[in-house]
Structures are given as structure tokens and as C-alpha cells.
Amino acid sequence: MNVGSIRPPRQTIPTSSVAPTIAAAPRDTVEPRYNWNNRIAIKPRAFYEPSSEDEVCAIVKHERSVRCGGGLHSFNGAMAPDPTGAFIDMRRMNRIDKPVKHADGSVTVTAQAGCTLKQIGTYLRGLGLALENLPTSADITLGGAIANGVHGSGLTSPAVLAEQVVGMTTVNSAGEKVTVAEADLPLYRINMGLLGVTTSFTLRVVPDFDLVIADDAVTGEDEVIARLEPSRLRREVSQFQSATYLIDFNLEDPAATRLRRNLLVKVTDENRSEIEARKLPRKEDYDLPPETVRRAYQQAFEAAAAGGTSARGKELSRKIRGGFAQPKEPRIGRSSLMYQIWLDLPAHDVSYGVPFEKAQEAFKRVMTELRSLGYEAMVPLSMRFLSGTDKTLMGMNSGRDVVSFELLTSTATDGKGGVLRPDVLAAQVAFERVMAEMGARPHWGKEYDVSPRDRFAPEVWQRFADEAKRVGAKFKNAWSAAFTP
């Protein structure tokens, strides 16, 4: 049995030499890896790339402390091991088993944690199956997406990927493989990697379905505020399989503020003939823009960042933001393709789940703060919608419906040493302050500086802390010490 690869040297190390080789590897010879936006440096004592559960068990049993990751799309220090620990790259753990049909007619599929959403979506699509709702990024791995509560949007189906999990296999600190009991799944589904290394998930799947883009737009800050009245907001969002609100705010002229609603309609027996009569163009694959398009986006961000807070910088930021707020042309496609939105340029991302009934107030307060700062973001303020659930204990939407507010900016706004430009940093601080005062919970995979400790009931934290102590002593790190009990 092999126990992964350590870098350097770049070869698989035989079992007989694992312990002395790892123990002798000087840390300063291990090249660091960085997360998606280059904010977090991962420089452990050793890297591993296992391809089997047995290898994961052997690694965890041998190491003093361990963290793991896949697509490295997280924005904070949760994935980073302490300097004397090890990092497990899970991407070779990407096997997907054949779906299983159960006596009650339900269908499940088991996939390893290193499988990307694109891999499982493509596999299921070929079998006429699908996950009921998906996040917007196709290249993140199941393990990270589920552990951090990554989500799509919509009130008519579970938008948080973790809610679709019906089984999990983990490896505890003793290096033992464990099948998580059904009663413990609400605790384990969103666990930030602190309850062991999850090696595989069993997910509930549904027959595949088509989705149609039905974008629209409204203009005027007063109209946007009216749309966020709780009963109206719930009624309008509930008409769609998925809904994302992108707000291109205009600080100087509120009447020019623009709301684009990115809407996805599920094709059903009731609306099929009407939709087919429209003869919409079909989306056949994931959005993969050519390098020229990626470069053009990056150059636009860099030009706006170079302009800073000058009139020219603000003008360029408004132009970029306005482009995102333009409704998309109607298209139709299979579900796994239509949830995905291409925006994989390095960014800073702060996201909080506000109680649904407070969304309107939260938006007004955020606008007040941004207006007082004169902050011109490059990307619209985003809002997505999650129905409350009892399937998780540590999610943004655990026990309550929420609106996920997201403040995003390009890493082109970084100054010297990777520190955010002062106006961007001030906006993020103000945004977080509003979110905290609204009782919002942070997205576990994003950037935040406000501790979430008081955002969950004490008994939930106690249960989580007890379980982490029982099975996860090796999975702690500096981040968990700061942001969890």
C-alpha cells in the first residue's frame, strides 16, 4: 500500500519508508500552495495525495495533526494546517459509484470527497439523474463544498449541498474508518473539517431536468427596496427553481440603481409545451470562456483597481458592475449546466446569511454604509435565498430561512503585501458590522473577521465541541481555535 505523495521529492513513497521519510523532511523544502485568491499560504510539514481510504487512514494515524482540501476555493484559514502538521490533497479521491435505487423509489449515489461538482454532474447527467440544487461553481470538490455549507439559491428545493447528503464515511484521529450514524448527520454534514477526514458521501439524487434562464431587471433603489419586502420577496422567489439577485447600486443617483434577477425556471409537464414553443438555444456544456475572455476580464479589473478611488477608477468600476447586472439571454439546458456561473477570477468574498424577514432592513443599512464611504464595488451586491432546514446544525440556514448577502471584489484591489486597498477594507468592515447587528451567520468558506460563536445555540456548539474532542483531536488548527469552541 502506498501512502500518497510528498512534495518534494515528487514520487510515491513505499510503505516501509513512510515514517522516517516524513519525520526527516525539513519543512523549508516543502513548497507552499495557495488558495484560490492567494490569500492563504498552505505550508505544512508534508503534503499527501492519497487515492484510497486505506491510505487516508494510514496518513491520519501517522501524523500529529492534519487538514485537507481539494479545489482550495475557500477564502479563510480553515484548510491550513499548523506548521508541524500535514495537508492531504483529496483530489485523487474522486471515484463515483453506480447509483442505487431503493425500495421506496429513491435513488442515491456515493462519491468520494475529491470529486468535483463538474465530475459528478457530468456523470449523473449521462444517466438521466441530477442533484436537486447546486452551487454556482463547478470546479469545487464535494468535500470542501459540503463541509463549508456551500450553496446555490432557491426556496423550492434544498439549496445547500450538504442537505442532499444521506450518508458519510470519515476517518477519525485514530486513523479508523467510521460510517456516520444517521442521527449524527445533522452535526456532521457541515463540520468545517473538524470532525475527521470525510472520504465519501452518499447523496440523494433526482431525475434530471431542464432549466430555463428567465432573467429580468428593475431600476431604482426604491423599487429594489420594495422588492425586498418579506412577503413579496418570498412570493416572487418561490416561483423559481433558483433565484439570484445582483444589485448594481448607484451611490450618486439612487434612481439609477439596477437589480438584475438571475432566474431559473424548472421545466415541468405543465410548462413544457409553452417553453418548447419558444425554441430557445440550448446550453450543451459548462461555460469555459477562452483565455482571451479571461484576460480581458482580469485587465478590466486591474484597470479599475489602478484608478482606485479617483473619478476614473469609480467610472471603470461602475462599468464592470453594470455589465454583471445585464440580464442574460434566455437559454435552456440540463440542470447541472444551468446552475453554473462563470466567475473564477481571484476575488475577495464576504458572505452572511441574514434572517429572511430582515433582508430589506439589511439592504438599506448596507447601502447607507456604502454611501457614507463612497465605496464603488467592481461587482454587484449579491443576494441568494436558502430555506430553513433541520438537516444541518451548523449552516447559515439551520433552523431558519435566510437571505445570503455577498460582497465581492477582485484581488486586483490588493495593496502592498496583499493587504486590501483601504476603501475596500473599510467597506468590508462596515458590511460585516451590519451583518453582525442583523444576527447573520457567516459563510464558513468565505472571508470574515467577526466570530460566529454567538450565532448558534450554546447547546449546538457544546455538542459540536464534544464530538470534535472525541473524534477530531488531530484536525484542529489556528483558525479553529479562533473561530470555534
Side-chain angles (χ1 to χ4, degrees):
M1 181 186 70
N2 294 327
V3 189
S5 304
I6 298 177
R7 300 179 180 176
R10 297 178 180 271
Q11 78 263 9
T12 302
I13 297 175
T15 303
S16 60
S17 65
V18 165
T21 302
I22 293 176
R27 180 172 173 268
D28 58 8
T29 68
V30 179
E31 297 178 5
R33 301 182 191 180
Y34 293 87
N35 72 323
W36 182 64
N37 67 1
N38 290 316
R39 184 184 188 219
I40 307 298
I42 302 170
K43 192 172 183 181
R45 192 180 60 77
F47 287 106
Y48 292 96
E49 294 179 333
S51 58
S52 71
E53 285 183 331
D54 286 345
E55 290 176 2
V56 174
C57 290
I59 293 165
V60 174
K61 186 174 183 179
H62 172 75
E63 289 291 341
R64 294 178 58 187
S65 66
V66 172
R67 295 297 285 168
C68 59
L72 302 186
H73 205 278
S74 293
F75 293 76
N76 58 56
M79 75 180 90
D82 292 331
T84 58
F87 182 82
I88 302 177
D89 184 333
M90 297 293 289
R91 287 176 296 178
R92 293 177 65 194
M93 299 277 291
N94 59 8
R95 190 185 72 245
I96 306 172
D97 294 341
K98 291 181 179 179
V100 176
K101 187 171 183 178
H102 302 274
D104 62 359
S106 64
V107 179
T108 60
V109 66
T110 298
Q112 291 184 317
C115 176
T116 66
L117 299 192
K118 180 186 290 185
Q119 288 170 332
I120 192 168
T122 301
Y123 174 76
L124 291 174
R125 182 156 45 102
L127 299 174
L129 298 168
L131 292 165
E132 195 169 4
N133 203 320
L134 282 171
T136 57
S137 176
D139 292 320
I140 55 179
T141 55
L142 280 176
I146 291 169
N148 289 309
V150 174
H151 60 85
S153 185
L155 296 177
T156 60
S157 64
V160 178
L161 185 60
E163 294 177 51
Q164 301 174 58
V165 173
V166 296
M168 296 172 63
T169 301
T170 66
V171 174
N172 64 20
S173 288
E176 301 165 335
K177 186 168 69 172
V178 178
T179 299
V180 178
E182 184 176 357
D184 290 331
L185 284 174
L187 181 66
Y188 270 77
R189 286 184 176 107
I190 297 176
N191 63 57
M192 298 81 76
L194 295 173
L195 301 182
V197 177
T198 302
T199 55
S200 67
F201 300 92
T202 300
L203 300 136
R204 175 176 49 82
V205 297
V206 299
D208 200 4
F209 52 91
D210 273 344
L211 290 171
V212 176
I213 293 176
D215 281 18
D216 66 13
V218 298
T219 302
E221 192 170 311
D222 287 344
E223 176 59 22
V224 174
I225 291 171
R227 292 273 180 146
L228 300 182
E229 189 278 319
S231 59
R232 179 179 180 179
L233 182 63
R234 184 179 298 278
R235 183 172 65 252
E236 292 186 349
V237 172
S238 296
Q239 297 177 48
F240 303 97
Q241 173 73 6
S242 176
T244 299
Y245 285 24
L246 299 173
I247 302 170
D248 173 18
F249 51 84
N250 191 302
L251 302 180
E252 298 173 0
D253 182 9
T257 289
R258 184 179 179 87
L259 163 65
R260 168 194 159 196
R261 300 196 308 161
N262 175 218
L263 309 169
L264 294 176
V265 176
K266 186 175 183 178
V267 178
T268 64
D269 291 340
E270 289 74 23
N271 63 18
R272 187 179 306 278
S273 58
E274 176 188 348
I275 290 173
E276 289 178 349
R278 296 170 63 188
K279 300 187 182 302
L280 298 173
R282 193 163 191 93
K283 184 176 180 180
E284 298 289 358
D285 204 350
Y286 292 93
D287 286 329
L288 293 172
E291 184 57 35
T292 53
V293 174
R294 294 172 182 265
R295 191 159 54 247
Y297 269 91
Q298 187 62 34
Q299 288 171 348
F301 282 127
E302 290 171 356
T309 57
S310 69
R312 178 60 175 162
K314 291 181 177 180
E315 177 188 356
L316 291 173
S317 291
R318 291 173 191 167
K319 185 175 181 180
I320 296 170
R321 198 168 65 232
F324 282 106
Q326 293 295 323
K328 291 188 175 182
E329 291 295 320
R331 283 195 296 173
I332 188 171
R334 304 309 286 176
S335 61
S336 61
L337 303 178
M338 301 302 289
Y339 284 116
Q340 311 305 322
I341 298 173
W342 176 77
L343 181 59
D344 63 352
L345 296 171
H348 293 284
D349 197 347
V350 185
S351 178
Y352 279 78
V354 175
F356 196 94
E357 66 279 4
K358 294 184 178 181
Q360 186 184 53
E361 180 186 357
F363 172 70
K364 291 191 288 187
R365 291 193 56 186
V366 168
M367 287 308 306
T368 297
E369 293 288 348
L370 297 182
R371 189 165 281 120
S372 70
L373 294 168
Y375 174 63
E376 293 283 358
M378 295 181 187
V379 181
L381 181 68
S382 170
M383 299 169 64
R384 287 186 278 177
F385 308 93
L386 314 177
S387 57
T389 183
D390 62 358
K391 293 186 180 297
T392 66
L393 296 181
M394 298 297 297
M396 286 199 295
N397 64 330
S398 296
R400 66 189 192 188
D401 296 349
V402 301
V403 177
S404 171
F405 280 76
E406 186 173 25
L407 189 67
L408 189 76
T409 188
S410 168
T411 54
T413 58
D414 286 0
K416 292 182 179 179
V419 177
L420 280 172
R421 204 172 67 193
D423 63 314
V424 180
L425 179 59
Q428 287 198 0
V429 169
F431 179 77
E432 282 203 89
R433 182 172 62 249
V434 171
M435 295 294 106
E437 291 170 357
M438 291 285 100
R441 295 169 180 159
H443 187 310
W444 288 111
K446 307 294 185 180
E447 297 178 59
Y448 50 87
D449 291 306
V450 175
S451 174
R453 292 186 184 187
D454 63 347
R455 301 300 166 197
F456 298 90
E459 58 270 23
V460 171
W461 272 127
Q462 188 60 55
R463 182 179 172 190
F464 189 89
D466 290 345
E467 190 71 359
K469 184 178 180 180
R470 186 179 74 84
V471 305
K474 287 188 176 182
F475 307 108
K476 297 182 291 185
N477 64 351
W479 173 88
S480 65
F483 289 100
T484 71

